[in-house]
Amino acid sequence: MKLRHQLLIISLFALSIPWAGFQYIQEMQRVMLEGNERELVASAHALALMLADENELFSGADEVSSPSSIYFHDLPSSPTLDGYADEWRDWPVAPASLSRSIEEPASGSYQAGRYQGNLFLLLNISDSSPAWSTPSQAGDQFQIITSGGDVLNLSPVSPGVVRGQWQSDEFGMAGEYRLQAFWRDSSDGYLIELKMLPGMLDGILGLRYLDRGSDTDGQLSAGIERGEASHYTFASQELNERLKIFATEGLRLGVSDRSGWVVGRGGELQLVGASQQEERNTLLARIYSLLLSEERISTLDDWPRSGQFQTLDVLSSLTGQTRTAVFSFGNLRVHRAAVPIVRGGEVLGVVIAEKSSASVVKATDTAFGRLAFWAILSTLLVAMGLLLYATVLSIRIRRLSAAAQSAMQDPASGSLADRFPETRSSDEIGDLNRAYKQLLGRLDEYTHYLKTLTGKLSHELRTPLAIIRSSLDNLDQEHLDAEARIYSERASEGTSRLANILNAMSTASHLEQSIKTAEFETFDLNELIENAGAGYRDAYPETNIQVRSPNHAVMIDGSPDLIMQLLDKLVDNARDFCPAHGVIELGLVEAESGVRLTVSNDGPLLPEHMQSQLFDSLVSVRETREANSAHLGLGLYIVRLIAERHEARVFADNREDGSGVVLGLIFLK
């Protein structure tokens, strides 16, 4: 992995800073919500103590409601009695079910409201077989049950206004003019709208619908009812006004009786932004909810519309315990505290205090937005800074690496240390640069010593060798016995071999100088190879020499004489290792990387460890040597020098089929 990529990955650890900030925001949110909860409990306790002391404001025991009682909501205006539900749909009054069945099950719902002391009802009855009353047969009937079991019957003969008739054991049948009703048929049954005065009910109200099918001869086939012989209930206006005084901004208060019905309410929740926030900033809201998400909680119940508390926290508080709960409303949380109202050891009702997390969410949302902005900005700056630093560092290292490779591979003359750049940087890379330069300086000194060693040896050994040879020549003039003659001949052969070695070393030294000063020209390498192959076949008729080259000219810049010397050395090497009846092939191939010149021969393979050293000076892989020849490995060394002079690269490989070796060079484009 590149250095820049490594530092870029390391820069990602900078994200731990915003993560810590997110944790801090989450902790801050938790502390603020706990503070809201404690504030709610304290407010609810204070209000519960006040209501327990004020019997006139909240009696709690004068009238007993039941869970099936009829609850009348406060209406903003008086509905028009026309049998239509248009007004009721816009009011915060949830439909309630007529749940108790009579005979066969039927279905229906009602909405109840109260305005200026008058009671209003809207009933939606499902009836697949409507039946209107006739003089001879009773039809579908709606009944209002009041105190003492008195029943007020509504039996319409047609859609429109309906008059009620009391059915009493004491007074018999009597009309009721304090009731106004409008009966209208609908797509699935009936819509019945009523207006009643409280005085006609005496605090008790029950609803009953009797279905007398058109094919049953007026007999009851099904029915439903609600609140039979139960006190109806509604919120106290005086208690509402008192609760509004205690309801601060964003605080909603409610009071329930022992059946959970709402008998007082005041204040409104601060729910602004509960649905718009995600529309304002969808991405931010998603990230926020992802990072600061908590466990799933129940959705807030709409008790102002239903008129009744039915959640577990309020029902548990009716047993005398203080309860707290958390509900969700959109992306907000609503905290609730339920405190029982206790008078004389008896639980009369519950005070409910609610407050949303809108202010907390606004504060944490603002903090999160700022933190996200600065976190992203700081992370980008850190990443860009590290990337820039890594780029500069990588460039310096690449320059150092390129300078080292250039110093070792540049065929141009000059000192190795002089070709290595020097830096004044005081950091570790600067120290490494100076260490490399010092190392190359010492290597340059040693290389220069090796280059001049052959000339020095040749010069220093010629005089002693001449003395030894003249002494041996003089010794040959003397009369020697047979054994001494053998030793004299061996000494003469050794001096001859040593003289050949010195001559070869001197020749190589002179040839190296001539290679450096050779003049270049543009010539056809293909023609040179063809002519050289023909000459080798004439010179070595016993050897099978073949040429494989393209059918067109291959022009290069170089010295034809040096290339011929290079081919002579490669062919001589191939002949030394090629067996009888073997093949030596001269090849010339044009490739994308450059022109490839090869000399391949059958014979033994190169050892793997020698393939990279074969073109070094004084290196040879011959196992046997002729008595009067010296193989110092200078031939292939001269090949390398000629290749470097032409800015070419030499190579030595074994054939893919394992039948021999391939030596050659590539003229780079």
Side-chain angles (χ1 to χ4, degrees):
M1 185 180 295
K2 298 294 185 180
L3 185 62
R4 284 183 295 177
H5 298 162
Q6 295 178 14
L7 290 180
L8 186 60
I9 293 175
I10 293 175
S11 67
L12 296 179
F13 285 102
L15 294 175
S16 61
I17 298 176
W19 177 83
F22 297 146
Q23 297 300 314
Y24 173 77
I25 292 177
Q26 190 174 27
E27 184 66 18
M28 180 182 69
Q29 184 186 57
R30 185 185 64 81
V31 171
M32 294 176 68
L33 292 177
E34 288 179 355
N36 281 353
E37 188 174 287
R38 289 192 295 268
E39 179 184 350
L40 286 177
V41 173
S43 300
H45 266 295
L47 190 57
L49 291 176
M50 183 200 71
L51 294 178
D53 293 338
E54 297 191 22
N55 186 44
E56 294 181 358
L57 184 63
F58 180 75
S59 61
D62 294 340
E63 297 177 349
V64 179
S65 62
S66 69
S68 61
S69 296
I70 308 297
Y71 182 82
F72 287 87
H73 295 263
D74 290 333
L75 300 179
S77 61
S78 176
T80 302
L81 296 181
D82 54 5
Y84 290 105
D86 298 340
E87 299 166 305
W88 293 88
R89 293 191 187 99
D90 299 331
W91 292 336
V93 181
S97 174
L98 296 171
S99 54
R100 182 180 174 186
S101 300
I102 303 173
E103 297 295 337
E104 295 297 325
S107 63
S109 63
Y110 71 92
Q111 292 172 273
R114 181 172 175 266
Y115 181 75
Q116 293 183 349
N118 296 321
L119 305 179
F120 296 88
L121 283 171
L122 176 68
L123 297 104
N124 187 353
I125 306 297
S126 297
D127 193 339
S128 59
S129 56
W132 303 99
S133 297
T134 63
S136 60
Q137 181 176 313
D140 296 332
Q141 190 175 40
F142 179 72
Q143 297 180 342
I144 298 176
I145 305 169
T146 64
S147 60
D150 294 340
V151 178
L152 181 61
N153 291 308
L154 282 82
S155 300
V157 296
S158 64
V161 177
V162 182
R163 297 297 179 185
Q165 295 286 332
W166 284 106
Q167 179 182 343
S168 172
D169 295 337
E170 182 178 356
F171 300 105
M173 301 292 291
E176 176 55 76
Y177 296 96
R178 293 172 295 179
L179 171 71
Q180 300 178 26
F182 196 98
W183 194 305
R184 179 183 299 277
D185 53 351
S186 64
S187 59
D188 59 348
Y190 300 114
L191 281 173
I192 308 172
E193 195 169 16
L194 302 93
K195 176 182 178 182
M196 300 172 289
L197 298 180
M200 61 176 283
L201 300 178
D202 196 19
I204 301 296
L205 176 63
L207 305 177
R208 181 185 298 159
Y209 173 75
L210 302 177
D211 182 13
R212 306 180 189 276
S214 57
D215 56 350
T216 60
D217 296 329
Q219 299 297 319
L220 180 65
S221 61
I224 47 176
E225 63 181 4
R226 172 70 183 253
E228 182 181 6
S230 297
H231 286 275
Y232 65 88
T233 183
F234 51 84
S236 167
Q237 189 65 28
E238 183 179 359
L239 184 55
N240 286 347
E241 296 298 328
R242 182 69 63 89
L243 292 179
K244 290 179 181 178
I245 298 175
F246 288 93
T248 59
E249 183 180 1
L251 178 64
R252 183 167 68 180
L253 298 173
V255 177
S256 78
D257 61 11
R258 283 177 288 191
S259 296
W261 296 108
V262 179
V263 296
R265 56 170 294 190
E268 295 294 335
L269 287 175
Q270 184 180 356
L271 300 176
V272 177
S275 59
Q276 291 89 348
Q277 181 178 356
E278 291 187 1
E279 297 175 2
R280 288 198 311 268
N281 198 340
T282 303
L283 179 61
L284 184 62
R286 289 181 179 178
I287 297 175
Y288 181 84
S289 60
L290 178 64
L291 295 175
L292 302 181
S293 60
E294 296 185 359
E295 68 280 0
R296 292 184 177 273
I297 52 179
S298 302
T299 304
L300 178 67
D301 58 316
D302 195 2
W303 57 266
R305 284 178 53 85
S306 65
Q308 187 177 23
F309 290 99
Q310 295 178 314
T311 55
L312 183 61
D313 56 314
V314 177
L315 298 179
S316 299
S317 187
L318 288 172
T319 63
Q321 301 176 355
T322 299
R323 295 293 186 185
T324 59
V326 182
F327 301 91
S328 65
F329 187 87
N331 64 313
L332 299 179
R333 295 198 305 173
V334 177
H335 284 255
R336 175 187 291 173
V339 179
I341 304 173
V342 182
R343 183 186 300 155
E346 182 181 5
V347 178
L348 303 180
V350 177
V351 174
I352 295 93
E354 295 177 334
K355 192 171 185 179
S356 73
S357 63
S359 59
V360 176
V361 168
K362 182 178 180 180
T364 54
D365 189 20
T366 302
F368 172 78
R370 293 176 179 175
L371 176 64
F373 172 76
W374 289 111
I376 294 174
L377 180 61
S378 61
T379 302
L380 289 177
L381 290 177
V382 170
M384 291 176 62
L386 286 176
L387 185 61
L388 180 61
Y389 171 74
T391 301
V392 174
L393 194 62
S394 179
I395 291 175
R396 293 179 62 192
I397 294 176
R398 284 202 302 268
R399 286 178 178 174
L400 183 61
S401 176
Q405 293 179 1
S406 176
M408 298 301 297
Q409 297 180 2
D410 190 359
S413 61
S415 173
L416 293 176
D418 292 341
R419 296 200 303 271
F420 197 81
E422 187 174 0
T423 180
R424 296 181 180 179
S425 177
S426 59
D427 57 6
E428 288 79 359
I429 297 181
D431 294 339
L432 181 61
N433 184 286
R434 287 183 287 272
Y436 265 125
K437 186 175 181 63
Q438 184 179 6
L439 176 62
L440 289 176
R442 294 184 179 180
L443 181 60
D444 186 53
E445 294 176 359
Y446 182 68
T447 303
H448 178 71
Y449 167 75
L450 292 179
K451 288 181 178 180
T452 59
L453 179 61
T454 56
K456 292 178 180 179
L457 288 176
S458 176
H459 176 72
E460 296 296 333
L461 293 179
R462 284 188 183 278
T463 300
L465 184 60
I467 295 174
I468 295 174
R469 172 168 290 183
S470 62
S471 299
L472 290 175
D473 291 340
N474 293 330
L475 187 61
D476 287 340
Q477 302 300 324
E478 300 295 330
H479 178 72
L480 300 176
D481 57 20
E483 185 176 357
R485 180 65 63 181
I486 294 175
Y487 292 125
S488 176
E489 291 176 355
R490 290 178 180 176
S492 298
E493 292 174 359
T495 55
S496 298
R497 190 180 302 114
L498 185 57
N500 292 335
I501 292 174
L502 293 177
N503 291 332
M505 294 173 63
S506 178
T507 301
S509 178
H510 291 303
L511 182 59
E512 184 175 352
Q513 296 298 324
S514 65
I515 290 174
K516 294 179 180 179
T517 59
E519 295 182 358
F520 278 16
E521 62 181 82
T522 302
F523 67 95
D524 185 1
L525 182 59
N526 187 24
E527 182 181 357
L528 187 146
I529 297 298
E530 293 286 352
N531 295 334
Y536 293 141
R537 282 192 289 268
D538 293 338
Y540 312 114
E542 73 282 358
T543 305
N544 185 4
I545 299 177
Q546 300 178 1
V547 177
R548 180 171 53 87
S549 62
N551 296 324
H552 56 82
V554 179
M555 308 303 294
I556 66 169
D557 290 333
S559 173
D561 294 336
L562 292 181
I563 297 300
M564 280 301 303
Q565 293 185 46
L566 180 144
L567 286 174
D568 290 342
K569 301 298 182 184
L570 292 177
V571 171
D572 287 342
N573 181 80
R575 289 182 60 250
D576 290 341
F577 291 94
C578 183
H581 308 293
V583 177
I584 298 176
E585 181 183 83
L586 280 66
L588 183 64
V589 178
E590 287 185 296
E592 294 182 359
S593 58
V595 179
R596 183 184 177 98
L597 174 61
T598 61
V599 175
S600 174
N601 64 273
D602 297 338
L605 302 180
L606 288 174
E608 292 185 4
H609 67 281
M610 292 299 298
Q611 293 181 11
S612 61
Q613 305 175 15
L614 192 61
F615 294 94
D616 293 342
S617 179
L618 303 178
V619 174
S620 177
V621 295
R622 290 175 173 83
E623 297 180 357
T624 61
R625 301 184 181 183
E626 297 178 4
N628 295 323
S629 64
H631 297 280
L632 304 180
L634 295 176
L636 295 183
Y637 172 67
I638 294 174
V639 169
R640 194 190 78 179
L641 294 178
I642 295 174
E644 291 177 350
R645 180 68 178 88
H646 289 79
E647 297 183 358
R649 180 173 60 85
V650 294
F651 64 89
D653 293 317
N654 292 317
R655 287 178 177 173
E656 294 182 358
D657 57 3
S659 61
V661 298
V662 179
L663 278 69
L665 67 158
I666 299 176
F667 295 93
L668 302 178
K669 289 185 177 180

